[in-house]
Amino acid sequence: PPTPTAIDAFLSAVKSGGESAYAAAVDEVLASPHMGERLAIDWMDVARYADTHGFNNDSARQMWRWRDWVIEAFNSNMPYDQFITEQLAGDLLPNATIEQKIATGFGRNHVINSEGGIIDEEYRVEYVADRVRTLGMAWMGLTLECARCHDHKYDPISQKEYFEFFAFFNNVSEVGEDGRVANAIPLMAAPTSRQQKEEAARTQEIAELESKLTEATPKFDISAIIAGRPEVTYTNRKTEKQEDAIVVIDPDSNEQSNGVFKKADLPRTAPGLSGAAYAVGEDQTYLLDQRRFKTGASSRNTYSFWLNPDKIDGEQPIFSNATYSDNLEAAGFGRGLDIRLIGGQIEYRHAQLYPGYSQIIRSAGSPIQAGSWTHVAIVSEGAKPDPVLKRVKASWIRMFVNGIEQPTRILADDLNRATEKNQSTRDFYIGSAYHAEGVPRKFFSGKIDEFLVFGKALSHTEVFQEFARIAAPAIRDNKVQQADVWMSSLAARLGPDASASVAADLDKKRADHLRIIREYPTVMVMDDLPAEMARETFILDRGLYSAPKEKVRPNVPEELLAAWPEGAPKNRLGLAKWLTQRENPLTARVVVNRMWQHLFGIGLVKTSEDFGFQAEWPSHPELLDSLAVEFIESGWDVKSLYRNLLLSSTYRQSSSAPRESFQTDPENRLLARGPRLRLPAEIIRDQALFASGLLNPTIGGPSVRPYQPEKLYEGVVVGADYPSTTWVQSEGGAIYRRSLYTFWKRTVPHPAMLTFDAPDREFCAVKRPTTNTPLQALNLMNDSTYIEASSHIAKTVLADANLTSDAERISKAFRKVVGRSPRTDEVGILQSTLSNLRSDFSTDEADPVSFIASGASKLSSDDPSNHAAYTSLVSLLMNLDETITKH
């Protein structure tokens, strides 16, 4: 935003006929990186964005990466048809990028229930219905949800057509009861652009070190190297191993005679890497007595084992005490620990209720191969729960293959401390998992050897030693083929100092790289279930999840609106193409109407949420048509449309007009005068911070918690130990971030936002009401934000040596807050007010020191009474109608 001096110069130029000055100012505003933030405010309402899930628990979620995407989309002037497409179906685009997948978070911004006892399918259906409602309101201007229960006599959308829209969104791999303490599935890692650049740079550094390591590692005799390093040549460390490990599952261990397995017959064995291994298959799975070791999500454990799978397809349980029944809604379904081989990758699950309340982490390195031995280690760091999010994090799980840490994918991350009280005490299965009678059971097929559970988190070096303890003798004794991965791992660490030094640098780089990747933010996204798991869609009688009738497929009302684009797939991507084709009569008009509403306060179609039969007829239908066509022909250019509107003579009219004009046309539907409207809640606060010099201009990033009344949550917010049940105020510059970034709790939004008519964002909203209540004045005159901002402005004018009188200081403060120079009579009134304020603050009852020290900045003054008087005067200016109104 420009300074008051620049504003004066601009106004002077415009008044003197400076058309080019006005156009240049408009272009500057549109080019500002903060333009994206301003447009994003309105889109947050449409997309029902919030930082919590809603409903009873209303715990925190992490969706700010989607909000960053929106800001960047507006700043880069992304064509609006692309803006629609990526949010509806970015994941379905060919070679979809990270950003395009993040964009689909639009479809996951709805409320999510985690209340115990709800019916999972009932709420999953509600989530899908929310997407249909949002689709209709955001881009079609139609209240599609009216047809959910039954056909209506005067509604052109039938119930069948409603559920055909429903079918487009019915195959997201979500569950109804989810989101208790974190993001609900499906989700993805969502690194920022800076983090993506860092990752690319680190990947390049690692590749260079790997090449250097290959050059530094000479051809060698593995036997000679092992002989020269006796500390890793042991072939039998059973005594030491059993002291270190709290569970040993090994045919060569004498523990099996002490009742390790519950089966009467001894497990079948086969030649292994170190003695014998367990031969596991559908007819040979083993039940291990429950051992006294903690498997909680915050426990410090390491699971170390060798695998030789016969195949890698499907899901193969390796070690599990999770309970799976035939009832997906059963309390405790999937509860426990479960380690699996899935498509050549290792998956670690720890669940309270699978898949909703669980951690699911999968390795993402080179796949494990069938028919060969591979060492796997899973390390649970067991850190304390995050003090703010109050949950244990999936990023604390690390995976190693053949001694080398692997990148991982976090598929679910939704466990809180309560999980520790709900651990499964079922005994562990080796090679399978518990399933209720009649449920198809999954099995591991192959050999498992040297399964150890350590009651601590092994370091990278310790994990590698566990690998080398078996690998080195196996290679020496020709028990296995000398696989390249084994050789390179051993050679780098057991070879000459030159290669060992490079290997140490490489290990450090890899560990640092993976640590950063594990801490990436996540975001909930859209996806589609695999074809073999796809759900069928039915018309639901009265809209009830439990009353399916006729089967339907994805489709649109072609006769009513527009034909399906030729060759477009019948999925969300095809739906986006249908919405944005030129022949569609609604999308461009609906979008253009909202942009008009943004600038003029009311749309050409007043009912901007509804272009249907119950809508108000456009005040200027030809103008709406013309703008829509121009918008499409411009390539859906958002900034071009705003520029045309801002440069129009209609917008540039004065908002002043004769009394008769307001009487005959109070809403200015005839456009006889310029727009006059109260500023949005976010902008009112932001301009106070800007005028005071406190505004933090940082763009993007996580939400922040500025000042909020103490005990606001008391008696209102659920008392369970979930994220966002307490308001932990931000520190430093985060307090002064733009209001767009204020943490948005659905059940108790920030009171300053609600007071100035922001919605709670439980549902899509395309326009805000405008009210005028005493609470708004109370907020402006008593909120810490405005008092602190007023105190800073007062300090600025009092410290300006060029200002020698109260009149000059008042004029400068007025220009900072109101945006214009005051009239002579206004200065006189304010001088009189200042005199009274000085008198008030000089009494014994007053506390000017505390008053001017409001907020985190804690200002002080050599003349606190005078400073307090000026602070109160500036506060008065911030409460003026003119200050909070665009006119």
Side-chain angles (χ1 to χ4, degrees):
T3 62
T5 302
I7 290 173
D8 283 352
F10 163 68
L11 291 175
S12 176
V14 172
K15 287 178 181 177
S16 63
E19 296 289 332
S20 60
Y22 179 78
V26 167
D27 289 339
E28 184 178 350
V29 169
L30 293 175
S32 167
H34 299 296
M35 180 67 178
E37 293 175 310
R38 174 62 190 91
L39 297 179
I41 289 174
D42 299 281
W43 192 245
M44 295 300 106
D45 289 353
V46 177
R48 68 265 193 253
Y49 174 88
D51 295 294
T52 62
H53 290 302
F55 286 107
N56 178 53
N57 296 326
D58 199 23
S59 58
R61 60 171 51 166
Q62 192 178 67
M63 290 295 287
W64 59 268
R65 279 293 287 118
W66 174 81
R67 181 177 58 198
D68 282 2
W69 178 89
V70 172
I71 295 169
E72 177 54 31
F74 282 128
N75 276 337
S76 65
N77 201 25
M78 177 183 287
Y80 203 87
D81 57 343
Q82 182 182 345
F83 183 73
I84 293 175
T85 299
E86 293 193 8
Q87 290 185 87
L88 267 183
D91 59 310
L92 300 178
L93 291 169
N95 302 313
T97 65
I98 290 176
E99 297 299 319
Q100 287 170 334
K101 292 177 181 177
I102 290 173
T104 66
F106 170 81
R108 301 295 309 291
N109 277 324
H110 54 76
V111 294
I112 294 176
N113 201 347
S114 63
E115 199 169 342
I118 67 171
I119 299 173
D120 190 83
E121 179 64 8
E122 178 181 7
Y123 278 88
R124 190 196 67 80
V125 166
E126 290 302 320
Y127 306 157
V128 180
D130 178 275
R131 293 183 194 115
V132 177
R133 178 195 302 115
T134 302
L135 168 73
M137 190 173 291
W139 290 312
M140 300 175 67
L142 296 178
T143 52
L144 295 178
E145 70 269 22
C146 292
R148 176 178 174 180
C149 296
H150 51 76
D151 291 345
H152 287 266
K153 184 175 181 180
Y154 297 109
D155 195 334
I157 302 294
S158 68
Q159 188 186 27
K160 180 175 185 290
E161 288 167 333
Y162 171 87
F163 280 101
E164 287 173 340
F165 277 119
F166 188 98
F168 285 107
F169 304 104
N170 197 31
N171 275 296
V172 178
S173 61
E174 62 190 339
V175 293
E177 184 189 350
D178 201 354
R180 180 167 295 183
V181 296
N183 282 350
I185 58 172
L187 55 82
M188 63 171 281
T192 64
S193 56
R194 178 184 59 80
Q195 288 172 326
Q196 291 177 48
K197 291 177 182 176
E198 287 181 356
E199 181 181 348
R202 290 175 186 274
T203 300
Q204 178 63 31
E205 291 173 357
I206 289 171
E208 291 172 357
L209 279 173
E210 287 175 337
S211 176
K212 187 176 179 181
L213 179 61
T214 301
E215 296 172 0
T217 304
K219 300 293 182 181
F220 61 93
D221 179 352
I222 189 70
S223 301
I225 291 175
I226 293 172
R229 296 292 179 92
E231 68 271 18
V232 292
T233 62
Y234 40 75
T235 59
N236 189 340
R237 202 189 62 166
K238 287 181 181 175
T239 303
E240 181 181 352
K241 174 180 67 178
Q242 291 176 9
E243 288 177 354
D244 289 350
I246 55 179
V247 171
V248 179
I249 307 168
D250 179 10
D252 299 319
S253 168
N254 62 4
E255 282 204 2
Q256 68 178 19
S257 63
N258 297 330
V260 172
F261 295 102
K262 285 192 169 183
K263 292 188 69 170
D265 55 318
L266 293 178
R268 186 173 64 191
T269 62
L273 280 172
S274 176
Y278 291 126
V280 186
E282 187 168 337
D283 60 338
Q284 284 282 315
T285 59
Y286 312 112
L287 183 60
L288 173 71
D289 279 337
Q290 172 68 28
R291 292 308 171 110
R292 297 184 179 277
F293 71 95
K294 292 182 178 180
T295 59
S298 59
S299 301
R300 296 174 65 83
N301 286 332
T302 300
Y303 306 91
S304 170
F305 51 92
W306 286 84
L307 290 180
N308 190 340
D310 294 334
K311 59 181 182 179
I312 61 169
D313 58 311
E315 291 191 23
Q316 301 184 61
I318 299 167
F319 184 67
S320 173
N321 74 338
T323 305
Y324 298 94
S325 71
D326 58 349
N327 182 4
L328 293 175
E329 297 170 5
F333 177 85
R335 176 180 294 169
L337 175 69
D338 198 343
I339 299 173
R340 299 193 171 212
L341 178 66
I342 300 180
Q345 300 292 344
I346 298 296
E347 182 168 290
Y348 171 94
R349 302 174 183 171
H350 191 274
Q352 182 178 354
L353 176 65
Y354 179 84
Y357 305 149
S358 61
Q359 287 179 345
I360 307 175
I361 303 95
R362 190 179 296 176
S363 62
S366 298
I368 290 172
Q369 299 299 312
S372 62
W373 283 102
T374 302
H375 180 256
V376 174
I378 301 171
V379 179
S380 173
E381 297 283 2
K384 292 182 179 180
D386 184 284
V388 176
L389 295 179
K390 298 181 180 178
R391 65 182 176 92
V392 290
K393 295 190 291 187
S395 59
W396 297 336
I397 304 299
R398 303 169 67 191
M399 294 187 175
F400 297 78
V401 172
N402 289 330
I404 303 299
E405 187 171 359
Q406 302 295 298
T408 58
R409 291 174 57 208
I410 296 175
L411 304 180
D413 190 9
D414 195 10
L415 281 182
N416 69 340
R417 285 189 284 211
T419 306
E420 303 303 306
K421 303 172 185 177
N422 292 285
Q423 295 183 56
S424 173
T425 56
R426 182 175 295 278
D427 297 320
F428 283 92
Y429 277 89
I430 309 297
S432 71
Y434 174 81
H435 283 68
E437 196 70 29
V439 178
R441 195 167 187 172
K442 294 180 172 66
F443 298 90
F444 179 81
S445 178
K447 291 182 283 189
I448 299 175
D449 200 1
E450 292 281 327
F451 200 117
L452 310 179
V453 181
F454 297 86
K456 63 178 181 177
L458 296 187
S459 67
H460 188 288
T461 300
E462 290 172 319
V463 169
F464 185 81
Q465 287 178 347
E466 260 318 298
F467 162 67
R469 180 173 66 83
I470 302 298
I475 294 175
R476 181 197 61 194
D477 298 339
N478 295 316
K479 286 190 175 181
V480 295
Q481 189 177 10
Q482 294 185 2
D484 291 341
V485 63
W486 288 28
M487 294 291 284
S488 61
S489 297
L490 289 167
R493 290 158 184 80
L494 308 179
D497 291 341
S499 60
S501 175
V502 176
D505 289 343
L506 181 57
D507 281 348
K508 185 176 179 181
K509 285 286 184 186
R510 281 174 173 161
D512 190 42
H513 184 211
L514 293 172
R515 176 185 59 79
I516 293 172
I517 290 175
R518 289 199 305 273
E519 292 299 327
Y520 282 166
T522 63
V523 63
M524 298 188 295
V525 294
M526 298 280 279
D527 66 6
D528 277 347
L529 290 168
E532 65 273 14
M533 297 174 64
R535 301 184 184 101
E536 294 182 326
T537 301
F538 300 89
I539 296 175
L540 301 178
D541 189 22
R542 305 291 298 179
L544 295 176
Y545 76 96
S546 57
K549 294 167 55 180
E550 177 189 346
K551 182 178 175 181
V552 295
R553 299 183 183 278
N555 208 352
V556 295
E558 297 187 61
E559 292 185 6
L560 177 67
L561 295 174
W564 189 259
E566 186 177 351
K570 280 293 179 73
N571 57 16
R572 287 180 283 115
L573 184 58
L575 179 62
K577 292 180 181 294
W578 176 77
L579 282 172
T580 56
Q581 64 179 325
R582 184 186 181 91
E583 291 74 21
N584 193 307
L586 285 176
T587 310
R589 286 178 174 85
V590 169
V591 172
V592 165
N593 188 65
R594 278 209 308 273
M595 293 178 182
W596 183 280
Q597 174 183 276
H598 179 192
L599 295 180
F600 288 88
I602 189 169
L604 295 170
V605 176
K606 182 180 178 181
T607 54
S608 53
E609 75 284 0
D610 186 1
F611 276 49
F613 281 173
Q614 301 298 314
E616 181 175 307
W617 192 257
S619 59
H620 299 74
E622 294 86 358
L623 174 59
L624 180 62
D625 290 349
S626 176
L627 289 173
V629 171
E630 288 179 12
F631 187 45
I632 294 173
E633 291 181 345
S634 72
W636 300 77
D637 189 322
V638 174
K639 290 190 176 182
S640 176
L641 176 60
Y642 271 104
R643 189 177 192 276
N644 289 342
L645 296 180
L646 290 168
L647 292 178
S648 68
S649 58
T650 304
Y651 180 79
R652 294 173 61 188
Q653 295 177 102
S654 171
S655 61
S656 299
R659 182 184 300 273
E660 294 76 17
S661 176
F662 289 92
Q663 291 174 339
T664 58
D665 184 19
E667 293 184 325
N668 195 29
R669 303 304 306 283
L670 301 178
L671 305 175
R673 56 186 184 271
R676 186 181 192 277
L677 56 147
R678 218 267 322 284
L679 296 174
E682 293 89 342
I683 302 303
I684 291 173
R685 175 177 174 271
D686 293 353
Q687 73 171 2
L689 293 175
F690 172 73
S692 66
L694 288 170
L695 184 66
N696 180 344
T698 304
I699 296 175
S703 295
V704 296
R705 293 172 170 84
Y707 311 126
Q708 179 172 282
E710 294 182 10
K711 300 183 180 180
L712 179 68
Y713 288 1
E714 201 169 280
V716 179
V717 174
V718 64
D721 193 16
Y722 298 133
S724 85
T725 56
T726 57
W727 184 270
V728 181
Q729 184 174 294
S730 297
E731 298 179 350
I735 293 176
Y736 310 112
R737 296 288 306 280
R738 292 178 186 273
S739 303
L740 171 66
Y741 304 109
T742 296
F743 187 89
W744 201 286
K745 185 174 178 65
R746 287 189 208 267
T747 53
V748 191
H750 196 282
M753 299 298 171
L754 288 185
T755 300
F756 285 98
D757 306 315
D760 57 20
R761 292 187 181 160
E762 291 199 2
F763 301 104
C764 172
V766 297
K767 66 178 179 181
R768 296 182 181 183
T770 301
T771 62
N772 190 354
T773 71
L775 283 176
Q776 294 166 352
L778 288 170
N779 177 260
L780 292 173
M781 299 186 77
N782 294 283
D783 189 288
S784 296
T785 295
Y786 298 102
I787 297 175
E788 182 180 23
S790 298
S791 184
H792 275 264
I793 293 174
K795 179 180 180 180
T796 299
V797 298
L798 287 170
D800 192 337
N802 295 319
L803 306 176
T804 58
S805 67
D806 285 337
E808 290 177 340
R809 285 186 281 270
I810 288 171
S811 294
K812 182 170 183 177
F814 194 99
R815 286 172 58 197
K816 274 183 170 292
V817 175
V818 183
R820 66 172 175 84
S821 297
R823 301 188 305 270
T824 302
D825 61 326
E826 291 172 329
V827 174
I829 294 171
L830 293 173
Q831 281 182 299
S832 176
T833 303
L834 179 63
S835 177
N836 293 334
L837 289 168
R838 281 176 174 147
S839 177
D840 291 342
F841 279 107
S842 64
T843 64
D844 292 338
E845 292 82 8
D847 185 7
V849 173
S850 297
F851 184 63
I852 64 176
S854 293
S857 50
K858 304 294 182 186
L859 290 182
S860 60
S861 173
D862 295 333
D863 187 359
S865 295
N866 190 42
H867 189 161
Y870 265 96
T871 297
S872 191
L873 185 75
V874 175
S875 176
L876 182 153
L877 297 176
M878 286 192 177
N879 197 35
L880 292 176
D881 178 71
E882 184 177 354
T883 303
I884 63 172
T885 303
K886 186 185 85 167
H887 53 82

